[in-house]
Amino acid sequence: MKSARSRAAFALVGVLSAGTLAACGSSSQASDDPTGPVTIEVSIDAGLEQAAIDAFDERIAQFEKANPDIQVETKEFTWSGTTFAAELAGGTLPDVFPIPFTDGRALIEAGQIADISDLVAELPYADDFNPTIAAAGQAADGAMWAVPIAAYNQGLHYNRRLFEEAGLDPDNPPTTWDEVREAAKAIADETGQAGYAHMTQGNTGGWILTTETYALGGRMLEGEGDEVTATVDNEATTEALELLREMRWEDNSMGSSFLYDWGTINQDFAAGKIGMYVSGGANYPNLFTQNQMNPDEYGVTVLPLEGDDAGTLGGGTLAAVSSAASDAEQAAAVKWIDFYYISKLTDQEAAVAEAEVAAETDQPVGAPALPIFDRETYEEQQGWIKDLVNVPLENFAPMTDQMFDQPVIPEPAVATQDLYAALDPVVQAVLTDEDADIDALLADAQVQVQSLIDRA
């Protein structure tokens, strides 16, 4: 569905798939004259509430007033691992669309997104991105083809109401994986809801299993460049799967739904059917705007880190431009990216204007997230909008008090989405077959992932 005034924001997804892709197209009909009128189509989520639509409408109006030669149209686009490759190959994506950190380099190397690096280099903050984050959108020569617009570290999301009903203290969430298991059992026993839930399909099972592996000190890959080898059958992954097996079959604390993806687990969590789950730490805006999460019930904390080299998986989202966009459309697209995604992080007037629109339409203002620049810039931006913040910051405190102190480990650098896809069935097997052989499952996955790496 497309409209000139449509729905706002996009999902901050940790797992998007590039697959085997062809160049994407653009539906805009505009002159190639960079000084003439131009129309661009931008990506937005489906299924948002009217308040979110109204907020986005207002931002478009502000942008068009400041850029009278640019008209913005919108197209609903919510990423799915099963459809993204086809949408890219079919040329049905908008001019501006989100891609994950993990897929940036592959799309750049294949020329499947526009080279907007000269335009990005002219932005005043082009050299100010956190270097680790900037690398996700850069070509091998350092030119930035895609702009980082959001970053995340994984968090443990929990329902404060279910914690209280289970006799747990929502202000003191679990700090070890044993405590996660104990809390999950208490929630299941006392409330009848799933104490802990796990994504399992659309590459999300492998994504979260990798997250749990990192948190226990393991890695899915070793080496760099041409010397990368798979290590998915490591002790930490075995430990993570064994914990899931115990929670599922011994404690009966994981409910009865074992085919969750990112969208469906968000729905059930927001509906109060899940006590805890792991996902990107900046997930609150989606839970609120798309799933009507009760702010008073929401809680989030950092992941328990145990073992040598433990860390939290980090990722994020890049804004890319269609390779079929004309020069004029590319220039307009970068102006939109700057206006809508970045200016609110770097300019006080823009930050306040965006926050005012969001507050007036009852959208989240001030929900914490891992910064794409540095901590100082992030804290300065939060200070600009402090009088407009309308989220319960105290419910985020277990995360924000610790997130800058946790090591952030990038996602596997080679065959990332294929690796995640190969691990989905492993997680599914452990949760659906009481006699699943974890060692055998990981041995098979090890061979499969190594073959994927060898072909990458």
Side-chain angles (χ1 to χ4, degrees), residues 5 44 75 98 102 110 131 133 169 184 259 289 298 384 424 435:
R5 293 288 187 270
I44 46 82
K75 183 170 184 176
T102 54
I133 288 172
D169 182 357
L259 287 176
T289 60
Y298 179 74
W384 293 336
D424 276 1
D435 297 320

Side-chain angles (χ1 to χ4, degrees), residues 121-354:
E122 295 175 0
L123 298 173
Y125 48 79
D127 296 326
D128 296 338
F129 288 101
N130 179 313
T132 301
I133 288 172
Q138 292 173 336
D141 63 0
M144 184 173 285
W145 286 44
V147 181
I149 56 175
Y152 70 87
N153 55 337
Q154 299 284 60
L156 180 68
H157 305 263
Y158 61 97
N159 185 297
R160 294 175 61 88
R161 175 179 58 81
L162 292 179
F163 262 55
E164 290 175 347
E165 291 179 5
L168 303 168
D169 182 357
D171 293 327
N172 290 286
T175 59
T176 68
W177 287 103
D178 283 343
E179 290 179 3
V180 170
R181 180 182 178 184
E182 293 167 4
K185 181 167 174 39
I187 291 168
D189 289 348
E190 297 299 325
T191 73
Q193 304 296 345
Y196 184 80
H198 202 288
M199 301 182 215
T200 63
Q201 63 176 350
N203 301 7
T204 61
W207 176 46
I208 301 304
L209 180 60
T210 299
T211 297
E212 293 159 341
T213 296
Y214 284 8
L216 293 168
R219 298 292 186 273
M220 295 301 190
L221 303 178
E222 287 183 352
E224 296 180 358
D226 295 332
E227 303 298 324
V228 174
T229 57
T231 57
V232 299
D233 58 350
N234 63 81
E235 291 182 3
T237 304
T238 301
E239 183 179 352
L241 290 168
E242 182 61 28
L243 176 62
L244 292 179
R245 188 199 66 76
E246 292 168 348
M247 294 170 69
R248 164 69 173 99
W249 297 105
E250 295 180 16
D251 301 346
N252 194 28
S253 64
M254 296 189 67
S256 58
S257 296
F258 305 112
L259 287 176
Y260 280 125
D261 60 15
W262 187 81
T264 53
I265 204 169
N266 285 342
Q267 291 169 9
D268 276 5
F269 177 73
K273 298 178 181 179
I274 295 171
M276 296 176 289
Y277 78 118
V278 173
S279 188
N283 204 24
Y284 176 80
N286 174 273
L287 291 167
F288 181 86
T289 60
Q290 287 194 286
N291 298 283
Q292 297 78 56
M293 180 84 197
N294 181 343
D296 294 335
E297 295 184 4
Y298 179 74
V300 63
T301 186
V302 295
L303 294 182
L305 302 185
E306 301 174 9
D308 295 339
D309 296 325
T312 179
L313 181 146
T317 306
L318 304 164
V321 177
S322 167
S323 61
S326 68
D327 289 347
E329 290 164 351
Q330 291 180 31
V334 171
K335 285 185 177 182
W336 170 256
I337 292 168
D338 174 42
F339 171 85
Y340 185 66
Y341 295 114
I342 307 296
S343 64
K344 62 187 176 185
L345 305 177
T346 61
D347 178 81
Q348 182 171 359
E349 183 177 352
V352 172
E354 196 272 345

Side-chain angles (χ1 to χ4, degrees), residues 17-26 83-94 97 99 103 106-114 145 320-325:
S17 175
T20 333
L21 308 174
C24 56
S26 165
T83 61
F84 180 71
E87 290 171 314
L88 185 61
T92 60
L93 295 175
F97 58 93
I99 61 174
D103 289 350
L107 293 174
I108 292 167
E109 290 178 351
Q112 292 166 325
I113 59 175
W145 286 44
V321 177
S322 167
S323 61

Side-chain angles (χ1 to χ4, degrees), residues 374-393:
D374 56 27
R375 183 173 182 174
E376 181 180 358
T377 301
Y378 170 78
E379 291 178 344
E380 181 180 41
Q381 188 268 347
Q382 291 293 90
W384 293 336
I385 62 172
K386 64 180 181 180
D387 293 337
L388 295 163
V389 171
N390 58 9
V391 301
L393 290 179

